[in-house]
Amino acid sequence: MQKNSHSQLYSLIVVFFFWGFIAASNGIFIPFCKAHFQLSQFQSQLIDFTFYGGYFIGSVILFLLSQISKVEILNKIGYKKGIIFGLLISVVGALAIIPSVNAGSFPLILGAFFIVALGFSLQQTAANPFVIALGNPTTGAHRLNLAGGINSLGTTLGPIIVSYFLFGSLENADASKTSIESIKELYLIVAGIFALMALYFSFTNLPHVKSDETVEQGIPALKYPQLWMGMIAIFMYVGVEVTIQSNMGALLKLPEFGGYDEAHLSQFISLYWGSLMIGRWTGAMSIFNLKSTAKNLALIVVPFVAFALILFVNFLHGNDVTELYPYAFCVAILIAANFLGKEKQARTLMIFSVFGILAMIVGLMTTGKISLFAFLSGGLFCSVMWPCIFSLSIAGLGKHTSQGSSFLIMMILGGSIIPPLQGKLADSALGIHASYIVTLFCFAYLAFFALRVKSILKSQGIDEDKLEVAGH
């Protein structure tokens, strides 16, 4: 890859960071808004409903426009312009946060988040193939994994940075005296960064990647059972990944879970999203051409290096990291799960789903730190599911692969639907702790899909062990 391509790639990867940064920050912002606006748990989850709903609506708009014009819209305008337009839409959304806060209106704040997510949807649809285009196609997976690693870093740092803007230093943090006004400065900075990036991409000599291919009319890809079952799997995966942390703030307020207020949640939300970083960094080891001994060593060392990084950034923020030390046991279980998976996608998905089921059962049947860490470990077991589900779902689709991929992206909708569903259960007689039964059903379907899709692919003459992993 040329030197200027390196700088272009690094600039583009900043976008991946902010996708993770904003999404993970909702785990802090949701309980804050619940307290500030005196919302029910269901109402507080409308933040995720509008945010991930924006991803879904954005994908649907692109699909419908492509169907009407009979040309893939992003291919027509080029991925570069797609990213620029997406950034500008997100700038509008980030700036809209400011008057929404000034008006003291929760619905207006939701609308601003929706606009940010619409921009993210366009950015994400364009940026993934663009990353591949910035260099040798044979090393595209390496660049996507690098981008995914930066995205996970954003999810780890996001809760801590947002917590700082809302509550300041932990020594003086008082949730009852904090004003929502403090969030305006953060989103003004975010809007500025997005605007500068859009300007940079406008004047940078990036490759103009596009195609004028005719779009398939109708929905022929849905005739493949691995696809429509995979769409449900993506829905469940994104839903469970989001809902575990989105409802975590309410869980941690319970006396039996520590009685934490909104100002002291960041270490746990950061650890949850950091768990996805641990898993993804570990999973990325398979793309490097390491000898067997070196690879096995990396699969053991890398997870603990990532865990140490999570502890370090929390320490810098002033969080008490000693209470996070026992989580190392969960990291060890992840390492065992990786070795058991043997880099076979259906097998890996099955093993991680079963561990997810077991973790949720432990979380539901206990309280305190054991229960908390069990729920948080859901992040570890979600970490490598996306590429497994995606690759298994589009296997054998042939000329319908592009359409199938678009349908799978739409199923990010799970992050919009499942958290409010859990919030509704939490508001009922079940309570917040028992409402985590929702996560159990999600992991159960993922285990079912892993079992069923292997036989489906086998009946179509497809060897799932030889499938290439799709990038996140």
Side-chain angles (χ1 to χ4, degrees):
M1 190 160 59
Q2 299 295 323
K3 185 175 181 180
N4 64 329
S5 294
H6 280 292
S7 63
Q8 294 161 1
L9 174 64
Y10 299 150
S11 300
L12 187 55
I13 282 177
V14 175
V15 179
F16 283 76
F17 175 88
F18 275 97
W19 296 341
F21 176 91
I22 299 297
S25 300
N26 289 350
I28 298 295
F29 203 57
I30 286 171
F32 177 84
C33 285
K34 180 184 178 183
H36 183 82
F37 293 105
Q38 297 181 321
L39 306 172
S40 68
Q41 189 62 15
F42 170 76
Q43 290 171 326
S44 72
Q45 295 305 306
L46 292 178
I47 289 179
D48 275 337
F49 177 78
T50 54
F51 185 78
Y52 290 95
Y55 270 94
F56 172 73
I57 296 299
S59 299
V60 170
I61 290 172
L62 279 177
F63 174 75
L64 293 177
L65 289 176
S66 297
Q67 288 287 306
I68 293 169
S69 65
K70 298 184 179 180
V71 174
E72 189 70 45
I73 297 299
L74 271 178
N75 284 341
K76 182 70 174 178
I77 66 174
Y79 294 126
K80 173 182 174 179
K81 288 184 179 178
I83 293 171
I84 293 171
F85 292 153
L87 285 166
L88 292 176
I89 292 171
S90 292
V91 167
V92 173
L95 290 176
I97 292 284
I98 297 172
S100 301
V101 169
N102 287 339
S105 171
F106 184 60
L108 287 179
I109 290 174
L110 293 180
F113 274 135
F114 179 80
I115 296 170
V116 170
L118 277 178
F120 280 9
S121 176
L122 186 54
Q123 293 170 45
Q124 187 158 346
T125 305
N128 282 283
F130 208 163
V131 168
I132 294 176
L134 287 176
N136 187 335
T138 61
T139 58
H142 294 259
R143 293 190 292 280
L144 279 176
N145 275 282
L146 173 61
I150 297 300
N151 175 271
S152 294
L153 182 61
T155 64
T156 303
L157 295 178
I160 293 174
I161 294 173
V162 170
S163 182
Y164 176 79
F165 271 89
L166 282 173
F167 308 111
S169 63
L170 287 180
E171 293 83 2
N172 304 315
D174 186 347
S176 64
K177 298 179 180 179
T178 302
S179 170
I180 198 170
E181 295 284 321
S182 54
I183 203 69
K184 294 192 297 185
E185 182 180 349
L186 172 63
Y187 277 90
L188 185 61
I189 293 172
V190 169
I193 291 173
F194 284 162
L196 287 173
M197 290 178 63
L199 187 65
Y200 170 80
F201 286 130
S202 297
F203 291 99
T204 300
N205 186 26
L206 294 173
H208 188 55
V209 184
K210 72 170 193 174
S211 172
D212 295 322
E213 294 179 5
T214 301
V215 173
E216 292 179 283
Q217 296 301 295
I219 49 176
L222 289 180
K223 69 181 181 181
Y224 294 90
Q226 63 265 40
L227 177 63
W228 63 261
M229 290 181 68
M231 290 170 65
I232 300 173
I234 290 288
F235 182 93
M236 294 294 188
Y237 153 71
V238 177
V240 74
E241 179 182 279
V242 173
T243 200
I244 290 174
Q245 63 88 37
S246 291
N247 286 282
M248 187 65 65
L251 183 73
L252 287 166
K253 294 197 81 170
L254 297 177
E256 60 268 35
F257 281 88
Y260 296 91
D261 64 21
E262 294 79 18
H264 297 87
L265 301 177
S266 61
Q267 69 267 40
F268 300 111
I269 304 300
S270 174
L271 178 59
Y272 175 76
W273 288 108
S275 295
L276 280 100
M277 181 181 73
I278 293 171
R280 288 170 183 168
W281 284 16
T282 306
M285 291 301 99
S286 62
I287 69 171
F288 298 109
N289 189 25
L290 299 175
K291 293 182 179 179
S292 179
T293 302
K295 186 174 183 178
N296 289 338
L297 182 61
L299 289 175
I300 296 172
V301 173
V302 168
F304 285 110
V305 170
F307 181 48
L309 176 60
I310 296 167
L311 296 178
F312 179 67
V313 295
N314 274 280
F315 172 77
L316 290 180
H317 182 52
N319 286 324
D320 180 11
V321 297
T322 59
E323 60 182 345
L324 304 182
Y325 288 168
Y327 195 72
F329 175 74
C330 298
V331 177
I333 294 176
L334 170 79
I335 294 171
N338 267 309
F339 278 105
L340 290 172
K342 297 181 179 178
E343 297 183 14
K344 297 180 179 180
Q345 293 178 55
R347 179 187 175 98
T348 296
L349 182 59
M350 170 60 77
I351 290 171
F352 275 65
S353 298
V354 169
F355 273 117
I357 291 170
L358 294 175
M360 297 305 104
I361 291 174
V362 171
L364 286 163
M365 296 182 66
T366 60
T367 57
K369 283 297 192 296
I370 292 177
S371 176
L372 175 59
F373 286 160
F375 286 137
L376 290 174
S377 71
L380 294 171
F381 304 126
C382 282
S383 60
V384 298
M385 285 186 171
W386 175 281
C388 293
I389 298 170
F390 209 95
S391 298
L392 291 166
S393 300
I394 63 174
L397 266 59
K399 65 179 182 179
H400 306 303
T401 298
S402 179
Q403 186 180 87
S405 298
S406 298
F407 290 161
L408 289 169
I409 293 294
M410 289 181 190
M411 289 299 100
I412 289 176
L413 179 67
S416 174
I417 302 299
I418 292 179
L421 173 62
Q422 184 182 348
K424 197 69 176 176
L425 290 176
D427 289 331
S428 71
L430 274 180
I432 184 63
H433 187 192
S435 74
Y436 272 83
I437 188 76
V438 169
T439 64
L440 190 59
F441 285 107
C442 293
F443 279 117
Y445 177 81
L446 292 168
F448 166 75
F449 173 73
L451 183 66
R452 186 76 181 93
V453 74
K454 186 169 185 176
S455 61
I456 290 173
L457 294 179
K458 186 176 181 180
S459 69
Q460 297 174 8
I462 301 170
D463 183 359
E464 64 94 9
D465 290 341
K466 296 181 180 179
L467 297 178
E468 293 184 3
V469 177
H472 194 334

